[in-house]
C-alpha cells in the first residue's frame, strides 16, 4: 500500500474507509500478504503501531521476497 492507500491500512481510517478495511481484513484472513510502504506511512504521519492487524511494513527483503515468489499476484488501482 502506498500514497493515499495508507489510510486504508491504518487504525485511524475506519470511519471513512470501513468497507475497504473490511475487504482488506477478509483478504488478509484468506492468506493475502498486504505490504505497507514505510516511507508513505511516515509521510502520512503514522507509524508501524498504527497498522491494522495483518498489514506488514515493507522493506527491501519483505517486498522482494513477496514479489518474486512463485504464484504471486499484485493488485493496483
Amino acid at each position: 500500500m502506498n500514497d493515499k492507500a495508507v489510510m486504508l491500512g491504518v487504525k485511524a481510517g475506519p470511519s471513512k474507509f470501513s468497507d475497504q478495511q473490511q475487504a482488506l481484513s477478509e483478504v488478509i484472513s484468506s492468506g493475502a500478504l498486504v505490504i505497507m510502504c514505510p516511507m508513505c506511512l511516515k509521510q502520512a504521519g503514522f507509524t508501524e503501531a498504527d497498522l491494522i492487524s495483518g498489514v506488514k511494513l515493507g522493506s527491501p527483503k519483505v517486498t522482494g521476497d513477496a514479489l518474486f515468489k512463485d504464484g504471486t499476484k499484485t493488485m493496483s488501482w
Side-chain angles (χ1 to χ4, degrees):
M1 305 184 88
N2 61 9
D3 197 28
K4 292 183 172 90
V6 165
M7 292 305 296
L8 303 178
V10 294
K11 297 170 190 165
S15 61
K16 188 171 183 181
F17 301 108
S18 60
D19 291 342
Q20 292 87 349
Q21 282 194 336
Q22 178 62 36
L24 192 58
S25 293
E26 289 172 10
V27 298
I28 291 169
S29 293
S30 296
L33 172 61
V34 177
I35 302 171
M36 178 68 72
C37 169
M39 291 166 280
C40 298
L41 186 67
K42 183 178 180 180
Q43 181 67 28
F46 297 104
T47 68
E48 186 173 6
D50 296 307
L51 295 176
I52 63 172
S53 180
V55 175
K56 286 190 107 176
L57 191 62
S59 70
K61 177 156 179 46
V62 169
T63 304
D65 286 353
L67 285 176
F68 298 106
K69 186 176 179 181
D70 287 343
T72 292
K73 295 179 180 149
T74 61
M75 292 178 58
S76 179
W77 72 86

